[in-house]
Amino acid sequence: GAVVSQHPSRVICKSGTSVKIECRSLDFQATTMFWYRQFPKQSLMLMATSNEGSKATYEQGVEKDKFLINHASLTLSTLTVTSAHPEDSSFYICSASPVSYGYTFGSGTRLTVV
Amino acid sequence: AQKVTQAQTEISVVEKEDVTLDCVYETRDTTYYLFWYKQPPSGELVFLIRRNSFDEQNEISGRYSWNFQKSTSSFNFTITASQVVDSAVYFCALRSSNQGGKLIFGQGTELSVKP
């Protein structure tokens, strides 16, 4: 089946540093990928839609300069949290759609900023 | 506006009890898709079902069943004879045809099945 691989699964970083999260589609091409953020005990909130070869589309209220998204190939999208602060600590999860109206999710990245 | 409401924040049952998780959605689109996902403590999302707006047939898969009622904009999920392994957060989600592939998630229902 279609697999989306997400790395790292956990990361702890110091406040002010940047963290890159990778999302790869292993056995299919993904022209579009989606990035979600989930705070503890809350739902998944869409942050942005990543489009291969073009700029990402950000949801309202998401800072483009803080959450940099790059989708340079049909199998890789990256999310970089720049100048991370403790309030950015969250669970980040990506997804892609290998078939029409179906979604595969990565295993998620738990980011802790200290 | 697209919206998914899961009014039950937490549910606790004893093993072997049946439990129904409610999901109510809002959309103005005539073509849309509804999903249920399970999120165990590890965090990954496990796909359970996808249903399109033109298919109102109820579905059963083992101990799981889903009741889709367009008249009430509901897509409820029932677990029969619950087991401890069913303990997780369950999310209902909506994808409308005009939303560029975005999934709108409900708030989630945390199900705790006690032995």
Side-chain angles (χ1 to χ4, degrees):
Chain A
V3 176
V4 170
S5 174
Q6 185 173 344
H7 294 281
S9 57
R10 290 181 178 271
V11 58
I12 301 173
C13 70
K14 290 185 178 180
S15 189
T17 61
S18 296
V19 173
K20 181 184 284 188
I21 302 170
E22 292 189 348
C23 182
R24 293 180 185 273
S25 57
L26 296 186
D27 46 7
F28 66 98
Q29 294 183 333
T31 55
T32 301
M33 289 187 177
F34 304 93
W35 287 95
Y36 293 84
R37 179 170 55 183
Q38 184 181 30
F39 291 110
K41 299 281 190 181
Q42 293 190 25
S43 186
L44 286 85
M45 299 302 296
L46 181 67
M47 299 174 66
T49 301
S50 170
N51 304 298
E52 187 267 335
S54 64
K55 291 182 179 179
T57 305
Y58 289 82
E59 294 299 300
Q60 193 172 6
V62 177
E63 300 175 57
K64 300 178 183 181
D65 295 333
K66 181 164 190 62
F67 299 100
L68 299 179
I69 290 174
N70 185 282
H71 195 154
S73 78
L74 287 170
T75 58
L76 175 64
S77 175
T78 61
L79 168 67
T80 301
V81 183
T82 63
S83 187
H85 291 285
E87 57 265 31
D88 298 322
S89 298
S90 187
F91 187 65
Y92 294 85
I93 191 164
C94 66
S95 79
S97 184
V99 295
S100 294
Y101 309 113
Y103 299 87
T104 299
F105 286 82
S107 54
T109 297
R110 199 164 300 280
L111 170 64
T112 303
V113 185
V114 298
Chain B
Q2 324 288 327
K3 187 178 179 182
V4 177
T5 302
Q6 294 178 254
Q8 305 149 308
T9 309
E10 297 179 9
I11 298 177
S12 182
V13 299
V14 177
E15 212 170 14
K16 297 185 183 178
E17 283 185 23
D18 298 346
V19 58
T20 295
L21 282 61
D22 298 334
C23 173
V24 175
Y25 62 92
E26 294 177 30
T27 179
R28 292 182 180 177
D29 294 331
T30 56
T31 303
Y32 53 89
Y33 293 79
L34 295 164
F35 300 78
W36 274 96
Y37 288 92
K38 175 182 179 179
Q39 187 178 44
S42 56
E44 79 271 22
L45 284 175
V46 179
F47 168 80
L48 296 178
I49 190 171
R50 179 182 75 229
R51 179 56 50 135
N52 74 55
S53 53
F54 299 109
D55 182 2
E56 281 195 75
Q57 277 196 342
N58 292 330
E59 180 150 342
I60 298 175
S61 176
R63 296 184 297 108
Y64 296 169
S65 62
W66 291 269
N67 185 333
F68 179 24
Q69 298 275 350
K70 285 182 75 171
S71 60
T72 55
S73 297
S74 66
F75 187 42
N76 296 339
F77 172 34
T78 297
I79 301 175
T80 303
S82 59
Q83 300 176 1
V84 173
V85 293
D86 295 327
S87 297
V89 181
Y90 290 86
F91 289 99
C92 180
L94 165 71
R95 180 201 189 280
S96 288
S97 57
N98 298 322
Q99 290 295 307
K102 295 190 293 188
L103 271 182
I104 308 297
F105 284 86
Q107 301 92 319
T109 297
E110 183 171 5
L111 174 65
S112 176
V113 182
K114 301 189 185 305

Short mmCIF file of all heavy atoms in Angstrom, two decimals, chain A residues 41-99:
data_model
loop_
_atom_site.label_atom_id
_atom_site.label_comp_id
_atom_site.label_asym_id
_atom_site.label_seq_id
_atom_site.Cartn_x
_atom_site.Cartn_y
_atom_site.Cartn_z
N LYS A 41 -4.29 16.96 23.14
CA LYS A 41 -5.73 16.85 23.39
C LYS A 41 -6.57 17.69 22.41
O LYS A 41 -7.72 18.01 22.72
CB LYS A 41 -6.06 17.29 24.83
CG LYS A 41 -5.37 16.46 25.89
CD LYS A 41 -6.08 15.16 26.11
CE LYS A 41 -5.54 14.45 27.34
NZ LYS A 41 -6.21 13.15 27.56
N GLN A 42 -5.99 18.03 21.29
CA GLN A 42 -6.73 18.82 20.32
C GLN A 42 -6.77 18.12 18.96
O GLN A 42 -6.15 17.06 18.77
CB GLN A 42 -6.10 20.22 20.18
CG GLN A 42 -6.24 21.06 21.44
CD GLN A 42 -5.84 22.49 21.21
OE1 GLN A 42 -5.89 23.00 20.10
NE2 GLN A 42 -5.43 23.16 22.28
N SER A 43 -7.48 18.73 18.06
CA SER A 43 -7.65 18.14 16.73
C SER A 43 -6.46 18.48 15.83
O SER A 43 -5.57 19.24 16.22
CB SER A 43 -8.95 18.66 16.10
OG SER A 43 -9.19 18.00 14.88
N LEU A 44 -6.48 17.93 14.65
CA LEU A 44 -5.46 18.25 13.65
C LEU A 44 -5.91 19.50 12.90
O LEU A 44 -7.03 19.55 12.38
CB LEU A 44 -5.29 17.10 12.65
CG LEU A 44 -4.57 15.87 13.16
CD1 LEU A 44 -5.53 14.95 13.88
CD2 LEU A 44 -3.90 15.14 12.01
N MET A 45 -5.02 20.46 12.87
CA MET A 45 -5.32 21.69 12.16
C MET A 45 -4.41 21.79 10.95
O MET A 45 -3.19 21.72 11.06
CB MET A 45 -5.10 22.90 13.08
CG MET A 45 -6.00 22.89 14.30
SD MET A 45 -7.75 22.85 13.91
CE MET A 45 -7.95 24.40 13.07
N LEU A 46 -5.00 21.99 9.79
CA LEU A 46 -4.22 22.12 8.58
C LEU A 46 -3.41 23.42 8.63
O LEU A 46 -3.96 24.49 8.89
CB LEU A 46 -5.13 22.13 7.36
CG LEU A 46 -4.44 22.25 6.00
CD1 LEU A 46 -3.61 21.00 5.72
CD2 LEU A 46 -5.47 22.46 4.90
N MET A 47 -2.12 23.28 8.39
CA MET A 47 -1.25 24.46 8.35
C MET A 47 -1.09 24.97 6.93
O MET A 47 -1.18 26.16 6.68
CB MET A 47 0.14 24.10 8.90
CG MET A 47 0.16 23.64 10.32
SD MET A 47 1.80 23.11 10.79
CE MET A 47 2.70 24.65 10.69
N ALA A 48 -0.82 24.03 6.02
CA ALA A 48 -0.53 24.44 4.66
C ALA A 48 -0.65 23.27 3.70
O ALA A 48 -0.56 22.11 4.10
CB ALA A 48 0.88 25.02 4.58
N THR A 49 -0.85 23.63 2.46
CA THR A 49 -0.87 22.66 1.37
C THR A 49 0.41 22.87 0.57
O THR A 49 0.68 23.98 0.09
CB THR A 49 -2.10 22.87 0.47
OG1 THR A 49 -3.27 22.73 1.27
CG2 THR A 49 -2.12 21.84 -0.65
N SER A 50 1.17 21.81 0.45
CA SER A 50 2.46 21.87 -0.23
C SER A 50 2.29 21.41 -1.67
O SER A 50 1.76 20.32 -1.92
CB SER A 50 3.43 20.94 0.51
OG SER A 50 4.62 20.77 -0.19
N ASN A 51 2.71 22.22 -2.62
CA ASN A 51 2.55 21.91 -4.04
C ASN A 51 3.92 21.75 -4.70
O ASN A 51 4.76 22.64 -4.60
CB ASN A 51 1.78 23.04 -4.74
CG ASN A 51 0.45 23.30 -4.08
OD1 ASN A 51 -0.42 22.43 -4.04
ND2 ASN A 51 0.27 24.49 -3.55
N GLU A 52 4.10 20.64 -5.37
CA GLU A 52 5.38 20.36 -6.02
C GLU A 52 5.69 21.42 -7.06
O GLU A 52 4.87 21.71 -7.93
CB GLU A 52 5.34 18.96 -6.66
CG GLU A 52 6.68 18.51 -7.21
CD GLU A 52 6.85 18.86 -8.68
OE1 GLU A 52 5.83 19.01 -9.37
OE2 GLU A 52 8.01 18.97 -9.12
N GLY A 53 6.86 22.00 -6.93
CA GLY A 53 7.32 22.97 -7.90
C GLY A 53 6.73 24.36 -7.79
O GLY A 53 7.01 25.22 -8.62
N SER A 54 5.94 24.59 -6.78
CA SER A 54 5.38 25.93 -6.61
C SER A 54 5.26 26.26 -5.13
O SER A 54 5.57 25.43 -4.28
CB SER A 54 4.01 26.05 -7.29
OG SER A 54 3.08 25.19 -6.67
N LYS A 55 4.80 27.46 -4.85
CA LYS A 55 4.71 27.89 -3.46
C LYS A 55 3.59 27.15 -2.73
O LYS A 55 2.57 26.81 -3.30
CB LYS A 55 4.44 29.39 -3.40
CG LYS A 55 5.61 30.24 -3.87
CD LYS A 55 5.29 31.73 -3.72
CE LYS A 55 6.46 32.58 -4.16
NZ LYS A 55 6.15 34.04 -4.05
N ALA A 56 3.82 26.99 -1.44
CA ALA A 56 2.80 26.36 -0.62
C ALA A 56 1.66 27.34 -0.37
O ALA A 56 1.83 28.56 -0.42
CB ALA A 56 3.40 25.92 0.71
N THR A 57 0.51 26.78 -0.10
CA THR A 57 -0.66 27.57 0.26
C THR A 57 -0.88 27.44 1.75
O THR A 57 -1.13 26.34 2.25
CB THR A 57 -1.91 27.07 -0.50
OG1 THR A 57 -1.64 27.08 -1.90
CG2 THR A 57 -3.10 27.97 -0.18
N TYR A 58 -0.80 28.56 2.45
CA TYR A 58 -0.91 28.54 3.90
C TYR A 58 -2.33 28.86 4.35
O TYR A 58 -3.02 29.68 3.75
CB TYR A 58 0.06 29.54 4.51
CG TYR A 58 1.51 29.13 4.38
CD1 TYR A 58 2.21 29.37 3.20
CD2 TYR A 58 2.18 28.51 5.42
CE1 TYR A 58 3.54 28.97 3.06
CE2 TYR A 58 3.51 28.12 5.30
CZ TYR A 58 4.18 28.36 4.12
OH TYR A 58 5.48 27.97 3.99
N GLU A 59 -2.72 28.23 5.43
CA GLU A 59 -4.03 28.53 6.02
C GLU A 59 -3.93 29.86 6.78
O GLU A 59 -2.85 30.31 7.18
CB GLU A 59 -4.45 27.42 6.97
CG GLU A 59 -4.71 26.11 6.27
CD GLU A 59 -5.81 26.18 5.25
OE1 GLU A 59 -6.96 26.52 5.61
OE2 GLU A 59 -5.53 25.91 4.04
N GLN A 60 -5.08 30.44 6.96
CA GLN A 60 -5.14 31.72 7.65
C GLN A 60 -4.55 31.59 9.04
O GLN A 60 -4.85 30.64 9.77
CB GLN A 60 -6.60 32.18 7.73
CG GLN A 60 -6.77 33.62 8.13
CD GLN A 60 -8.22 34.07 8.00
OE1 GLN A 60 -9.11 33.27 7.71
NE2 GLN A 60 -8.47 35.34 8.20
N GLY A 61 -3.70 32.55 9.38
CA GLY A 61 -3.12 32.58 10.71
C GLY A 61 -1.81 31.83 10.82
O GLY A 61 -1.16 31.89 11.88
N VAL A 62 -1.39 31.13 9.79
CA VAL A 62 -0.11 30.41 9.83
C VAL A 62 0.97 31.30 9.22
O VAL A 62 0.82 31.78 8.09
CB VAL A 62 -0.21 29.07 9.05
CG1 VAL A 62 1.15 28.37 9.04
CG2 VAL A 62 -1.27 28.19 9.67
N GLU A 63 2.05 31.50 9.95
CA GLU A 63 3.11 32.39 9.49
C GLU A 63 3.98 31.71 8.44
O GLU A 63 4.69 30.74 8.72
CB GLU A 63 3.98 32.81 10.67
CG GLU A 63 3.23 33.56 11.76
CD GLU A 63 4.15 33.83 12.94
OE1 GLU A 63 5.19 34.48 12.73
OE2 GLU A 63 3.84 33.40 14.06
N LYS A 64 3.98 32.26 7.25
CA LYS A 64 4.74 31.68 6.15
C LYS A 64 6.24 31.71 6.43
O LYS A 64 6.97 30.79 6.07
CB LYS A 64 4.48 32.47 4.87
CG LYS A 64 3.05 32.49 4.43
CD LYS A 64 2.87 33.33 3.18
CE LYS A 64 1.41 33.41 2.79
NZ LYS A 64 1.19 34.19 1.57
N ASP A 65 6.70 32.79 7.03
CA ASP A 65 8.13 32.94 7.26
C ASP A 65 8.63 32.06 8.41
O ASP A 65 9.82 31.80 8.53
CB ASP A 65 8.47 34.40 7.57
CG ASP A 65 8.18 35.29 6.37
OD1 ASP A 65 8.24 34.78 5.24
OD2 ASP A 65 7.90 36.48 6.58
N LYS A 66 7.73 31.64 9.23
CA LYS A 66 8.12 30.80 10.35
C LYS A 66 8.08 29.32 9.97
O LYS A 66 8.91 28.54 10.40
CB LYS A 66 7.18 31.03 11.53
CG LYS A 66 7.57 30.20 12.74
CD LYS A 66 6.90 30.71 13.98
CE LYS A 66 7.49 30.02 15.19
NZ LYS A 66 8.93 30.30 15.35
N PHE A 67 7.12 28.96 9.18
CA PHE A 67 6.94 27.57 8.77
C PHE A 67 7.21 27.49 7.27
O PHE A 67 6.31 27.65 6.45
CB PHE A 67 5.55 27.08 9.12
CG PHE A 67 5.24 27.11 10.59
CD1 PHE A 67 4.48 28.13 11.13
CD2 PHE A 67 5.72 26.11 11.43
CE1 PHE A 67 4.20 28.16 12.49
CE2 PHE A 67 5.43 26.13 12.79
CZ PHE A 67 4.68 27.16 13.32
N LEU A 68 8.47 27.22 6.95
CA LEU A 68 8.88 27.18 5.55
C LEU A 68 8.62 25.80 4.97
O LEU A 68 9.05 24.80 5.52
CB LEU A 68 10.37 27.53 5.43
CG LEU A 68 10.78 28.92 5.93
CD1 LEU A 68 12.28 29.10 5.76
CD2 LEU A 68 10.02 30.02 5.21
N ILE A 69 7.94 25.80 3.85
CA ILE A 69 7.62 24.53 3.20
C ILE A 69 8.27 24.50 1.83
O ILE A 69 8.16 25.45 1.05
CB ILE A 69 6.10 24.35 3.09
CG1 ILE A 69 5.51 24.10 4.48
CG2 ILE A 69 5.77 23.18 2.16
CD1 ILE A 69 4.01 24.05 4.52
N ASN A 70 8.94 23.39 1.56
CA ASN A 70 9.58 23.18 0.27
C ASN A 70 9.14 21.84 -0.29
O ASN A 70 9.20 20.82 0.39
CB ASN A 70 11.11 23.21 0.43
CG ASN A 70 11.80 23.12 -0.92
OD1 ASN A 70 11.91 22.05 -1.50
ND2 ASN A 70 12.26 24.24 -1.41
N HIS A 71 8.70 21.84 -1.52
CA HIS A 71 8.23 20.61 -2.17
C HIS A 71 8.93 20.51 -3.51
O HIS A 71 8.33 20.73 -4.56
CB HIS A 71 6.71 20.70 -2.33
CG HIS A 71 6.04 19.40 -2.64
ND1 HIS A 71 4.73 19.16 -2.32
CD2 HIS A 71 6.49 18.27 -3.23
CE1 HIS A 71 4.40 17.94 -2.71
NE2 HIS A 71 5.44 17.39 -3.26
N ALA A 72 10.21 20.18 -3.44
CA ALA A 72 11.07 20.26 -4.62
C ALA A 72 10.95 19.07 -5.56
O ALA A 72 11.37 19.14 -6.71
CB ALA A 72 12.52 20.43 -4.19
N SER A 73 10.41 17.96 -5.06
CA SER A 73 10.26 16.80 -5.94
C SER A 73 8.90 16.17 -5.71
O SER A 73 8.18 16.55 -4.79
CB SER A 73 11.37 15.77 -5.65
OG SER A 73 11.07 15.03 -4.47
N LEU A 74 8.58 15.20 -6.54
CA LEU A 74 7.27 14.56 -6.44
C LEU A 74 7.16 13.59 -5.27
O LEU A 74 6.10 13.02 -5.02
CB LEU A 74 6.95 13.82 -7.74
CG LEU A 74 6.60 14.72 -8.91
CD1 LEU A 74 6.54 13.91 -10.21
CD2 LEU A 74 5.27 15.42 -8.69
N THR A 75 8.26 13.40 -4.54
CA THR A 75 8.21 12.46 -3.43
C THR A 75 8.67 13.07 -2.11
O THR A 75 8.72 12.35 -1.10
CB THR A 75 9.09 11.22 -3.72
OG1 THR A 75 10.43 11.67 -3.96
CG2 THR A 75 8.58 10.46 -4.94
N LEU A 76 8.99 14.34 -2.10
CA LEU A 76 9.53 14.92 -0.87
C LEU A 76 8.99 16.31 -0.62
O LEU A 76 9.07 17.19 -1.47
CB LEU A 76 11.05 14.97 -0.93
CG LEU A 76 11.76 15.67 0.25
CD1 LEU A 76 11.50 14.92 1.55
CD2 LEU A 76 13.25 15.81 -0.02
N SER A 77 8.47 16.49 0.58
CA SER A 77 8.09 17.82 1.06
C SER A 77 8.75 18.01 2.42
O SER A 77 8.82 17.06 3.21
CB SER A 77 6.57 17.95 1.19
OG SER A 77 6.22 19.20 1.76
N THR A 78 9.25 19.20 2.66
CA THR A 78 9.87 19.48 3.96
C THR A 78 9.21 20.67 4.62
O THR A 78 8.79 21.62 3.94
CB THR A 78 11.38 19.75 3.82
OG1 THR A 78 11.57 20.89 2.99
CG2 THR A 78 12.09 18.56 3.24
N LEU A 79 9.13 20.60 5.92
CA LEU A 79 8.62 21.70 6.74
C LEU A 79 9.74 22.12 7.67
O LEU A 79 10.27 21.29 8.43
CB LEU A 79 7.41 21.24 7.56
CG LEU A 79 6.93 22.18 8.68
CD1 LEU A 79 6.37 23.47 8.10
CD2 LEU A 79 5.88 21.49 9.55
N THR A 80 10.13 23.37 7.60
CA THR A 80 11.17 23.89 8.48
C THR A 80 10.55 24.89 9.44
O THR A 80 9.96 25.89 9.01
CB THR A 80 12.30 24.57 7.68
OG1 THR A 80 12.88 23.62 6.78
CG2 THR A 80 13.38 25.09 8.62
N VAL A 81 10.69 24.60 10.72
CA VAL A 81 10.23 25.53 11.75
C VAL A 81 11.41 26.41 12.07
O VAL A 81 12.42 25.95 12.63
CB VAL A 81 9.75 24.78 13.00
CG1 VAL A 81 9.21 25.77 14.03
CG2 VAL A 81 8.68 23.75 12.64
N THR A 82 11.33 27.66 11.70
CA THR A 82 12.46 28.58 11.88
C THR A 82 12.35 29.30 13.21
O THR A 82 11.25 29.61 13.68
CB THR A 82 12.52 29.59 10.75
OG1 THR A 82 11.33 30.39 10.78
CG2 THR A 82 12.62 28.91 9.40
N SER A 83 13.51 29.54 13.82
CA SER A 83 13.57 30.25 15.10
C SER A 83 12.49 29.72 16.05
O SER A 83 11.60 30.46 16.49
CB SER A 83 13.40 31.76 14.87
OG SER A 83 13.62 32.48 16.07
N ALA A 84 12.60 28.45 16.31
CA ALA A 84 11.56 27.79 17.10
C ALA A 84 11.50 28.33 18.53
O ALA A 84 12.52 28.69 19.12
CB ALA A 84 11.81 26.29 17.12
N HIS A 85 10.30 28.38 19.05
CA HIS A 85 10.06 28.81 20.42
C HIS A 85 9.21 27.76 21.12
O HIS A 85 8.56 26.92 20.46
CB HIS A 85 9.37 30.18 20.44
CG HIS A 85 10.26 31.28 19.97
ND1 HIS A 85 11.27 31.80 20.76
CD2 HIS A 85 10.32 31.94 18.80
CE1 HIS A 85 11.90 32.74 20.10
NE2 HIS A 85 11.36 32.86 18.90
N PRO A 86 9.19 27.76 22.44
CA PRO A 86 8.43 26.73 23.16
C PRO A 86 6.98 26.59 22.70
O PRO A 86 6.44 25.48 22.68
CB PRO A 86 8.53 27.20 24.62
CG PRO A 86 9.85 27.88 24.69
CD PRO A 86 9.99 28.59 23.35
N GLU A 87 6.37 27.68 22.29
CA GLU A 87 4.98 27.60 21.84
C GLU A 87 4.82 26.85 20.52
O GLU A 87 3.69 26.52 20.11
CB GLU A 87 4.35 28.99 21.73
CG GLU A 87 5.07 29.93 20.81
CD GLU A 87 6.05 30.82 21.55
OE1 GLU A 87 6.61 30.38 22.59
OE2 GLU A 87 6.28 31.95 21.07
N ASP A 88 5.94 26.59 19.84
CA ASP A 88 5.89 25.80 18.60
C ASP A 88 5.93 24.30 18.89
O ASP A 88 5.77 23.49 17.98
CB ASP A 88 7.07 26.15 17.68
CG ASP A 88 7.05 27.60 17.25
OD1 ASP A 88 5.94 28.13 17.00
OD2 ASP A 88 8.13 28.22 17.18
N SER A 89 6.14 23.95 20.15
CA SER A 89 6.15 22.54 20.52
C SER A 89 4.79 21.95 20.21
O SER A 89 3.75 22.46 20.65
CB SER A 89 6.45 22.39 22.02
OG SER A 89 7.73 22.89 22.33
N SER A 90 4.81 20.88 19.42
CA SER A 90 3.54 20.31 18.96
C SER A 90 3.84 19.01 18.23
O SER A 90 4.99 18.60 18.10
CB SER A 90 2.85 21.30 18.02
OG SER A 90 1.56 20.86 17.68
N PHE A 91 2.77 18.39 17.76
CA PHE A 91 2.88 17.19 16.93
C PHE A 91 2.58 17.62 15.51
O PHE A 91 1.52 18.16 15.23
CB PHE A 91 1.87 16.15 17.44
CG PHE A 91 1.99 14.80 16.79
CD1 PHE A 91 3.12 14.02 16.97
CD2 PHE A 91 0.95 14.30 16.02
CE1 PHE A 91 3.22 12.76 16.38
CE2 PHE A 91 1.04 13.04 15.43
CZ PHE A 91 2.17 12.27 15.61
N TYR A 92 3.53 17.40 14.61
CA TYR A 92 3.36 17.79 13.22
C TYR A 92 3.22 16.52 12.39
O TYR A 92 3.99 15.57 12.54
CB TYR A 92 4.56 18.60 12.74
CG TYR A 92 4.69 19.93 13.44
CD1 TYR A 92 5.35 20.04 14.66
CD2 TYR A 92 4.12 21.08 12.89
CE1 TYR A 92 5.45 21.26 15.32
CE2 TYR A 92 4.22 22.31 13.54
CZ TYR A 92 4.88 22.39 14.75
OH TYR A 92 4.97 23.60 15.38
N ILE A 93 2.23 16.53 11.50
CA ILE A 93 1.98 15.33 10.71
C ILE A 93 1.68 15.72 9.27
O ILE A 93 0.99 16.71 9.02
CB ILE A 93 0.83 14.50 11.34
CG1 ILE A 93 0.72 13.13 10.71
CG2 ILE A 93 -0.49 15.25 11.32
CD1 ILE A 93 -0.12 12.16 11.53
N CYS A 94 2.22 14.96 8.36
CA CYS A 94 2.00 15.25 6.95
C CYS A 94 1.11 14.18 6.33
O CYS A 94 0.95 13.09 6.89
CB CYS A 94 3.33 15.33 6.19
SG CYS A 94 4.22 13.77 6.10
N SER A 95 0.54 14.52 5.20
CA SER A 95 -0.26 13.52 4.49
C SER A 95 -0.17 13.77 3.00
O SER A 95 0.15 14.86 2.54
CB SER A 95 -1.72 13.54 4.95
OG SER A 95 -2.43 14.60 4.34
N ALA A 96 -0.47 12.73 2.25
CA ALA A 96 -0.53 12.82 0.79
C ALA A 96 -1.69 11.98 0.33
O ALA A 96 -2.24 11.18 1.09
CB ALA A 96 0.78 12.33 0.18
N SER A 97 -2.05 12.17 -0.92
CA SER A 97 -3.22 11.47 -1.46
C SER A 97 -2.79 10.59 -2.61
O SER A 97 -2.71 11.04 -3.75
CB SER A 97 -4.26 12.50 -1.91
OG SER A 97 -5.44 11.86 -2.34
N PRO A 98 -2.52 9.33 -2.36
CA PRO A 98 -2.07 8.44 -3.42
C PRO A 98 -3.17 8.06 -4.40
O PRO A 98 -2.89 7.68 -5.53
CB PRO A 98 -1.56 7.22 -2.66
CG PRO A 98 -2.33 7.23 -1.38
CD PRO A 98 -2.55 8.67 -1.04
N VAL A 99 -4.39 8.12 -3.97
CA VAL A 99 -5.51 7.81 -4.84
C VAL A 99 -6.55 8.91 -4.66
O VAL A 99 -6.53 9.63 -3.67
CB VAL A 99 -6.15 6.44 -4.52
CG1 VAL A 99 -5.16 5.32 -4.81
CG2 VAL A 99 -6.61 6.39 -3.08
#
